[in-house]
Amino acid sequence: MTLQEKVGVLVRYCSQYQSHGFMMDERNTDRHFNVQLLEEKYIRDNIEKLKVIILTGEAGDGKSRIMWNLRSLLQQKGFAQPCEDFSALQEREKEEWIARLKGVLEGESSEKLIVLANVGVFTQAILKFSLDFMEELTRKREDVYICNFENRNLAGNKELFENIVKEFLDYEDPCANTECPCYGTCVYRQNIEKLLSASGIRAMRILCDSVYLTGGHITFRELLSLLAYTVTFGQDCEERRSRPDSGERMLYYHIFEESQDILLRKISWMDPGLERGGDEGAPDREAYRNGLRRAFFDAEQDSYGMLHVEYLKEFRQVLEHIHEPPYNFDTATDQNPLLLQLKKGINKMSSQGKKDTGLTVMDTPAIFDKKIRMEYLVTQDISMIWHRYDLQIGGEMPRKDVFWNKFYLSYLYEEKSGQKELISLLIDYHQFCFLMRCSYDFFMNRNGMSQEKYAVNAYYRKILSVKENAYDTVKVCFDDELGEFSDFYLTIHSTTDAFTGDVTQNVLIRKGD
Amino acid sequence: MPKSKANDKVAAFVGISAPETPKYLLANNFLLEYFEQTGEQVELYSYAWFEERKSLVTQDVENQEELKKAFNRFLYRYLGDETIHQENNRLKDERHFYFPLTQGMLMERSPTLRHMLFHLQTLDDKFCYEEMQRKLENYIFHGHSGANNIWKVLFQEKEEIRLRKRDVKGEGDDFWDMLKPVEKNRMQALGESLNRDLDILLTCRFFTDLDFYRKYQYLSVLLTSYVLQYILVRKGPNASMLCKGKPLDDRLNGDIHRACSYNYARLREVFPEMMKVSYGEALKAYVGKKGAFRLSAHDEDLWLEEKSFEGFMADLSGREKNRKKMDYEVLLKGFGIGDGEEKEMTMKEFVMRYLDLIGKKQGSNLQKMSSILSSSGKQIDMVYPKTNVNFKYFAMAEGLAEFYVRLYLARKKSRYDYLDNFMEDLADRYHIIISKTSKNEKYLKTYKPLLSAQELWKNKQAFLDTLNSANCLIKLSDSGFIVTLPEEKGGFKLI
């Protein structure tokens, strides 16, 4: 394939191009471009023990491609006719499929099943049919493989990502059209060369990884579309020749330009051109911005910090720390500076910025505003851990090749039965930013209840509810500017009559610190 | 119930006469259907009150004065007196109303909603008064979780709860005897729904495990939400509340805003509509004729055939003589008649003109009744803007969305469910429409302008933001979501 032909193929992957629908056809007809995904490899390696395979995700995640690649193997291993689109089934058929799956999981059926589904539709059907079945499905079993592509990070595996970019963009012959006015200065060639270079692949991988880290998702089809757009900007050679002056604007680093396109917006908000640290001598703002964008693509090492994404670099560093054995870290003894900072943020948030140590939980009923608060003290020796998202008490060790974009802060306690339980606060990118901002004394509107603050409060209230006598002492705090009223403590005090053994209780009041 | 109110025919027909706000007062009045008032009307709890009962002690003698001042301020706020007075400035200062942390804090006040919620309950064939009493007692007066712990010691409540005795047979039937059978069936269904929801709220751990304040808040919201539901049912079988997914959002300023305002205005029309029917019936009975009658003006009054207009007004209000006589000149202008003239007037025209006249009058029945929709809606954060503007709309605030999620999951006995199922339930059970679901087509057709799929999609996105802010949402994919409780969110495992 020549460069010109390659551009002709690539441009059809761009959503901006008129025949965007081609991509759907391309999935089914273009069998030349094929990269074995990790999920496919896993199924091939474990096919002997698998009885149920469920692939869920959004359109474009690559489910059908995997199915197409595995079809003959599945037939050979005795799998029933697959359910290739669960979403398209009638309600009754959905129920039948879930019953079949349930039968296999409960050992009542010897069928082998594979289901391809949209995760939302599939979850809805399961929840409608049986809640217990959801628990059963999410319990790890050797004979069940559930892959939710929504949680997959294509940029997570360096080798795979490199493979996809090279397979997708590589072409055999240079352009032979010497008549083309762009011959010798062709932006397509420059863009492909850049994207195939080590720094180019790294930059694209970091971009996709950042989407994942910040809670987004890029499907396989979107990745191809993004690569295609970075090379062609939605224009084929003919269109390009009609606008010879627009060459500079079609260089790869302009991928960050503002756009209405849903996919491009996943990238453009991270524009490194909005950061500081560019060339002060740049002639104008655009040159300054382009310099920063180019620098991102030319960076010699991981350049998360160059993106215009608050605390992204720090978030990744914390995740890297937590994804190393032993996968759980005591909050009191772990010395990771970022986790210490995060802890400071939690303390400041929960104690209204007045203290740096100890955990005070505000449990002011929602009926009231926060002008008079009720605070309860959780003692400092409380045992809490930072840990990996997939770490469970008594569960198996987490998989090394999975890198989650979230982690937990958990309180470990023992129930009366002796069973250990966790109360957990999920820390994803947004929660992380919120707590970091708290730690650095950013202005926070403490009257409003943001989702993040709500989560932290709910977490601490749950801890309070399992701690004995936690509600026996309350500090009543006034938020009045004039300082008219003093804070005070109320504490339940019990007295036992030495002679009768009767217990009486009253409340002691004393002035606050 | 004061006699004058009881005899007010219009109010009796509408079923409600004026808003009962704040919502905590509504809950207070509702609880008094089941429990005796045992406290004093002017009870004022204070540092001294607790000190006298030896439930509050201090060794910090040198700061005692300071502590007294701060503690009393705290009491004023946390016993509810301040909140209730702030939200209803018509309450007199010498009367105290509290959140009923103890039975002694329940305070009688004339229920302007005319016991409507209680009557609704009694329409349900399966309703058991004693059982409801027992559940309410457990929910409100017992339990030590959270902040309750200290209050229980401070109040040292040891007395038995004094229950009300009541024969509830046929209460609701008498109350709504003027309704048509079809409408009465709908009312009965509403009563059943209220009882079912109450039963869930009073017994499910999603509510009962919470502290007193949260429990009381949810009870108040549920009861107030049924005031809106009542208005909806009176409006007709196809009435619905088109709700913005978020009270304020730039995405929702187009057609959805216009449709929401239109929907609200249509619902508000139920009051003049009901009054029209009621006045029409009253007029027929008063004049003793159908169709048309002779209207004349002389001797500083209007005359309907041989009977005076003043007598008609007194008849309507159930009093022997109407307290405020309407200005003669205003009457002449309002009914388009000159002094000394007489003309034939249809019943319909007379009622229309009469409604026009009283509608403009400050503090009229119509104004008071119509304000129930906005006042009750504002109380549960469902009607916006909260200022006194003409064009209002329904919207889902975070707290209300969380309440409906909690109630739905409690009913389902599940810690989570798929968002679409929840939204379908909102539409089916409460006629609250936010986006298109598989069954709400009939409601969508009634809105003006007709809403496009794009507009409804935007509204759903805004609602997702609201649920997310209330920490009730788990994202499965770009199009798939799960609703859950904030405290259960960590426990959900994705596929």
Side-chain angles (χ1 to χ4, degrees):
Chain A
M1 194 183 285
T2 65
L3 175 59
Q4 192 173 351
E5 287 164 344
K6 186 77 192 176
V7 169
V9 171
L10 288 180
V11 77
R12 293 155 79 182
Y13 279 86
C14 300
S15 51
Q16 289 72 17
Y17 191 67
Q18 51 184 339
S19 54
H20 179 52
F22 169 76
M23 283 180 61
M24 291 294 288
D25 309 331
E26 184 71 6
R27 181 183 64 176
N28 298 321
T29 56
D30 178 13
R31 303 292 172 204
H32 301 294
F33 166 64
N34 187 28
V35 177
Q36 190 188 49
L37 297 175
L38 298 176
E39 294 77 12
E40 183 182 330
K41 185 173 181 313
Y42 180 88
I43 295 172
R44 283 187 190 280
D45 293 348
N46 295 279
I47 193 73
E48 296 298 341
K49 56 185 176 194
L50 289 176
K51 287 181 186 160
V52 168
I53 301 169
I54 299 170
L55 304 178
T56 67
E58 290 286 326
D61 265 323
K63 304 183 291 288
S64 302
R65 169 63 78 138
I66 290 181
M67 185 65 229
W68 197 87
N69 290 349
L70 289 172
R71 194 176 297 274
S72 59
L73 178 70
L74 293 170
Q75 269 172 3
Q76 195 188 326
K77 295 294 172 187
F79 271 77
Q81 187 69 22
C83 170
E84 295 200 35
D85 191 357
F86 186 84
S87 321
L89 300 179
Q90 299 291 321
E91 284 304 301
R92 186 185 46 76
E93 294 169 317
K94 283 178 187 163
E95 272 188 27
E96 281 169 11
W97 265 100
I98 289 173
R100 284 172 74 183
L101 288 167
K102 211 169 177 221
V104 176
L105 260 63
E106 288 171 357
E108 288 165 2
S109 160
S110 55
E111 277 191 300
K112 288 183 174 182
L113 302 172
I114 177 164
V115 176
L116 275 61
N118 170 296
V119 66
V121 177
F122 190 63
T123 309
Q124 182 180 24
I126 293 177
L127 289 176
K128 203 171 176 183
F129 188 68
S130 158
L131 200 63
D132 299 340
F133 184 48
M134 175 67 105
E135 313 262 324
E136 184 62 38
L137 266 181
T138 48
R139 201 165 58 85
K140 283 182 182 167
R141 287 174 56 141
E142 268 203 340
D143 54 352
V144 177
Y145 178 60
I146 300 177
C147 177
N148 180 7
F149 286 90
E150 282 290 327
N151 293 331
R152 178 188 60 176
N153 178 15
L154 282 167
N157 186 300
K158 199 173 167 182
E159 208 175 300
L160 172 74
F161 191 86
E162 201 172 306
N163 211 359
I164 295 171
V165 178
K166 284 185 174 163
E167 279 287 325
F168 185 61
L169 294 182
D170 228 359
Y171 61 96
E172 288 132 19
D173 303 310
C175 183
N177 186 359
T178 51
E179 302 298 315
C180 176
C182 307
Y183 189 77
T185 58
C186 176
V187 284
Y188 299 129
R189 186 177 53 78
Q190 290 179 57
N191 289 345
I192 290 184
E193 275 176 12
K194 182 66 198 177
L195 292 189
L196 288 174
S197 71
S199 65
I201 292 177
R202 186 166 47 239
M204 289 308 284
R205 193 167 77 82
I206 286 172
L207 275 181
C208 294
D209 196 33
S210 301
V211 172
Y212 170 74
L213 289 174
T214 52
H217 173 60
I218 286 199
T219 65
F220 193 72
R221 191 191 298 173
E222 282 177 329
L223 173 62
L224 300 186
S225 184
L226 182 66
L227 290 168
Y229 186 81
T230 314
V231 173
T232 64
F233 285 79
Q235 292 180 22
D236 59 13
C237 286
E238 201 179 327
E239 206 178 338
R240 168 80 194 88
R241 277 195 288 270
S242 67
R243 296 185 220 165
D245 300 335
S246 62
E248 205 279 329
R249 295 196 168 276
M250 285 178 59
L251 283 168
Y252 55 92
Y253 52 83
H254 286 290
I255 189 83
F256 293 108
E257 286 295 332
E258 270 185 42
S259 168
Q260 289 304 309
D261 182 85
I262 292 172
L263 170 62
L264 295 178
R265 270 160 59 186
K266 288 185 182 179
I267 303 296
S268 59
W269 72 280
M270 299 191 281
D271 186 0
L274 298 172
E275 282 291 289
R276 290 180 183 172
D279 179 12
E280 296 293 340
D284 55 32
R285 199 173 151 192
E286 198 179 337
Y288 179 88
R289 205 174 50 198
N290 288 341
L292 282 166
R293 290 170 174 177
R294 257 195 321 270
F296 172 73
F297 274 94
D298 293 339
E300 288 298 316
Q301 51 200 341
D302 287 352
S303 46
Y304 291 91
M306 295 172 83
L307 291 171
H308 184 61
V309 186
E310 183 188 32
Y311 298 119
L312 176 66
K313 188 176 156 192
E314 291 80 357
F315 184 51
R316 188 170 166 90
Q317 283 171 359
V318 164
L319 289 171
E320 279 169 358
H321 177 67
I322 284 173
H323 278 75
E324 287 298 317
Y327 309 121
N328 69 91
F329 305 89
D330 192 302
T331 54
T333 56
D334 186 70
Q335 291 301 307
N336 181 292
L338 287 166
L339 286 175
L340 287 175
Q341 191 69 32
L342 202 63
K343 190 176 156 190
K344 193 175 165 187
I346 294 175
N347 289 342
K348 280 197 173 181
M349 197 223 86
S350 58
S351 59
Q352 302 282 305
K354 287 185 181 167
K355 294 179 213 139
D356 283 348
T357 54
L359 292 172
T360 309
V361 181
M362 196 174 75
D363 192 3
T364 307
I367 273 184
F368 305 113
D369 56 27
K370 306 291 182 289
K371 285 186 178 163
I372 307 177
R373 303 186 308 274
M374 293 179 106
E375 290 185 350
Y376 300 85
L377 188 73
V378 178
T379 48
Q380 286 182 46
D381 63 347
I382 186 168
S383 165
M384 287 205 283
I385 49 170
W386 310 106
H387 66 94
R388 259 182 78 134
Y389 178 68
D390 50 358
L391 194 68
Q392 291 169 358
I393 297 175
E396 55 189 51
M397 289 308 273
R399 277 170 57 189
K400 276 193 171 180
D401 58 334
V402 181
F403 191 81
W404 293 97
N405 54 1
K406 49 202 160 196
F407 61 101
Y408 277 124
L409 168 65
S410 290
Y411 169 62
L412 186 66
Y413 72 100
E414 216 167 89
E415 286 207 325
K416 281 177 188 160
S417 61
Q419 197 182 337
K420 285 189 174 170
E421 291 289 342
L422 285 177
I423 292 175
S424 301
L425 170 69
L426 182 71
I427 303 184
D428 59 6
Y429 170 72
H430 297 284
Q431 189 74 53
F432 183 85
C433 287
F434 175 81
L435 294 172
M436 287 303 262
R437 275 186 234 130
C438 270
S439 76
Y440 285 111
D441 288 331
F442 273 68
F443 168 74
M444 313 294 273
N445 180 359
R446 294 185 192 279
N447 289 325
M449 197 71 152
S450 71
Q451 179 196 350
E452 288 78 13
K453 191 171 175 182
Y454 204 141
V456 177
N457 264 286
Y459 170 64
Y460 278 125
R461 280 211 305 274
K462 274 165 91 173
I463 295 179
L464 275 178
S465 68
V466 297
K467 277 185 81 73
E468 271 189 36
N469 307 328
Y471 281 96
D472 280 4
T473 298
V474 60
K475 185 180 181 189
V476 177
C477 307
F478 293 86
D479 208 4
D480 64 319
E481 286 171 8
L482 302 172
E484 204 180 336
F485 303 103
S486 315
D487 297 352
F488 60 86
Y489 285 100
L490 295 173
T491 307
I492 294 177
H493 175 73
S494 301
T495 320
T496 309
D497 188 301
F499 300 102
T500 63
D502 289 347
V503 180
T504 52
Q505 285 191 317
N506 49 23
V507 175
L508 299 181
I509 181 169
R510 68 183 167 87
K511 201 178 164 191
D513 314 320
Chain B
M1 194 182 332
K3 200 164 181 257
S4 62
K5 289 276 178 198
N7 292 333
D8 186 329
K9 287 182 182 169
V10 182
F13 178 71
V14 177
I16 42 185
S17 48
E20 206 156 292
T21 55
K23 56 182 176 285
Y24 310 117
L25 211 53
L26 173 67
N28 171 80
N29 289 349
F30 179 77
L31 289 170
L32 282 165
E33 307 281 0
Y34 293 90
F35 307 103
E36 297 285 352
Q37 177 185 319
T38 57
E40 296 294 324
Q41 289 284 342
V42 287
E43 189 81 84
L44 180 61
Y45 298 96
S46 64
Y47 187 99
W49 193 93
F50 291 103
E51 196 181 31
E52 199 180 305
R53 284 155 184 79
K54 295 191 170 49
S55 62
L56 184 68
V57 180
T58 188
Q59 291 160 348
D60 195 357
V61 184
E62 60 190 67
N63 292 313
Q64 197 165 14
E65 285 310 308
E66 223 176 300
L67 284 171
K68 272 184 189 173
K69 193 176 157 193
F71 185 77
N72 286 337
R73 176 75 190 91
F74 165 68
L75 283 182
Y76 184 46
R77 184 99 187 117
Y78 271 68
L79 297 188
D81 208 4
E82 185 184 32
T83 309
I84 293 174
H85 272 93
Q86 271 174 355
E87 292 188 25
N88 187 343
N89 50 23
R90 290 183 179 182
L91 294 173
K92 289 178 183 149
D93 283 346
E94 65 269 21
R95 292 282 310 273
H96 298 283
F97 295 96
Y98 302 106
F99 299 144
L101 284 151
T102 66
Q103 188 177 11
M105 296 167 93
L106 285 173
M107 290 294 152
E108 289 279 4
R109 184 171 188 268
S110 315
T112 45
L113 281 173
R114 304 170 55 82
H115 308 268
M116 183 270 288
L117 292 171
F118 181 73
H119 291 312
L120 263 183
Q121 285 192 289
T122 59
L123 288 180
D124 177 8
D125 293 337
K126 291 180 193 150
F127 174 64
C128 173
Y129 181 74
E130 288 76 20
E131 203 179 310
M132 184 57 63
Q133 221 167 19
R134 186 180 51 76
K135 285 174 184 166
L136 279 166
E137 181 186 332
N138 278 335
Y139 184 79
I140 292 290
F141 300 121
H142 303 305
H144 286 255
S145 44
N148 288 32
N149 211 15
I150 279 179
W151 290 121
K152 289 283 162 201
V153 179
L154 273 172
F155 280 103
Q156 306 260 320
E157 277 282 299
K158 289 188 181 82
E159 282 178 24
E160 289 268 309
I161 298 290
R162 274 166 50 194
L163 305 174
R164 275 192 67 164
K165 300 267 182 292
R166 193 158 183 168
D167 180 13
V168 294
K169 266 187 191 167
E171 278 218 30
D173 289 349
D174 295 344
F175 193 73
W176 279 294
D177 59 357
M178 73 294 279
L179 293 183
K180 289 177 191 158
V182 182
E183 203 171 359
K184 200 155 187 181
N185 287 345
R186 289 208 307 272
M187 206 62 78
Q188 188 169 355
L190 186 67
E192 286 164 11
S193 172
L194 169 62
N195 280 342
R196 172 94 173 101
D197 279 353
L198 261 174
D199 186 56
I200 294 292
L201 181 112
L202 301 178
T203 54
C204 177
R205 71 171 182 87
F206 293 169
F207 291 97
T208 55
D209 281 359
L210 304 171
D211 67 33
F212 166 81
Y213 291 104
R214 289 181 175 86
K215 287 196 285 190
Y216 195 54
Q217 168 88 350
Y218 287 131
L219 176 67
S220 312
V221 171
L222 178 77
L223 295 173
T224 311
S225 74
Y226 267 88
V227 177
L228 298 189
Q229 290 296 313
Y230 173 75
I231 296 170
L232 207 60
V233 168
R234 292 302 300 266
K235 175 69 184 168
N238 285 335
S240 63
M241 290 191 271
L242 175 64
C243 225
K244 279 196 187 181
K246 202 176 179 185
L248 290 170
D249 192 297
D250 287 346
R251 287 169 292 186
L252 310 178
N253 288 339
D255 279 359
I256 189 88
H257 179 74
R258 296 215 298 281
C260 283
S261 302
Y262 170 81
N263 168 259
Y264 181 89
R266 282 296 305 276
L267 191 56
R268 201 173 184 275
E269 281 168 12
V270 70
F271 296 100
E273 281 165 9
M274 282 194 279
M275 289 179 98
K276 217 182 287 176
V277 175
S278 167
Y279 289 156
E281 293 296 321
L283 188 64
K284 259 186 243 168
Y286 188 68
V287 180
K289 271 186 155 189
K290 279 186 183 176
F293 64 95
R294 184 166 44 84
L295 180 76
S296 56
H298 54 86
D299 300 328
E300 295 288 307
D301 202 357
L302 291 185
W303 300 88
L304 293 68
E305 297 286 343
E306 306 307 325
K307 293 180 170 178
S308 75
F309 178 74
E310 199 187 344
F312 172 65
M313 294 230 332
D315 209 29
L316 277 182
S317 63
R319 299 182 190 101
E320 281 183 14
K321 198 173 178 194
N322 201 35
R323 269 182 305 186
K324 284 181 190 168
K325 194 178 171 187
M326 282 178 102
D327 187 57
Y328 184 54
E329 290 301 319
V330 175
L331 283 181
L332 293 180
K333 203 177 164 193
F335 287 96
I337 191 167
D339 185 31
E341 286 178 10
E342 75 169 51
K343 66 176 183 179
E344 189 89 346
M345 185 170 271
T346 62
M347 298 273 182
K348 203 175 168 188
E349 186 188 349
F350 181 87
V351 169
M352 291 291 284
R353 285 179 179 270
Y354 180 63
L355 268 175
D356 266 1
L357 261 180
I358 59 159
K360 288 168 193 158
K361 211 172 120 191
Q362 200 68 32
S364 66
N365 271 350
L366 180 60
Q367 283 199 348
K368 275 195 273 181
M369 280 177 193
S370 303
S371 72
I372 297 172
L373 183 61
S374 60
S375 306
S376 305
K378 281 181 202 169
Q379 278 294 314
I380 57 171
D381 293 333
M382 200 181 189
V383 168
Y384 292 88
K386 291 206 167 181
T387 52
N388 216 7
V389 296
N390 282 336
F391 297 98
K392 292 197 167 59
Y393 55 85
F394 295 108
M396 269 284 171
E398 290 167 22
L400 186 66
E402 195 251 18
F403 164 75
Y404 274 119
V405 169
R406 194 173 284 273
L407 191 61
Y408 170 72
L409 293 176
R411 203 157 12 90
K412 282 262 170 181
K413 294 189 175 65
S414 169
R415 288 181 294 133
Y416 41 80
D417 199 2
Y418 199 66
L419 171 74
D420 292 3
N421 298 348
F422 166 62
M423 290 179 68
E424 245 169 50
D425 185 75
L426 274 183
D428 281 359
R429 195 174 173 84
Y430 306 108
H431 304 193
I432 295 175
I433 311 298
I434 292 167
S435 185
K436 194 175 174 189
T437 68
S438 56
K439 295 175 200 157
N440 68 7
E441 194 76 32
K442 70 169 178 179
Y443 300 121
L444 292 174
K445 279 180 189 164
T446 63
Y447 305 139
K448 279 182 188 169
L450 279 178
L451 292 168
S452 64
Q454 171 79 357
E455 285 288 314
L456 289 165
W457 180 83
K458 280 195 279 186
N459 203 34
K460 185 176 177 182
Q461 296 308 306
F463 186 52
L464 291 178
D465 286 352
T466 301
L467 287 170
N468 211 14
S469 302
N471 217 18
C472 290
L473 196 72
I474 297 169
K475 183 180 172 185
L476 293 174
S477 66
D478 285 345
S479 58
F481 298 88
I482 294 286
V483 284
T484 186
L485 298 175
E487 61 266 31
E488 300 284 346
K489 198 170 166 182
F492 181 76
K493 282 188 204 158
L494 288 168
I495 283 181

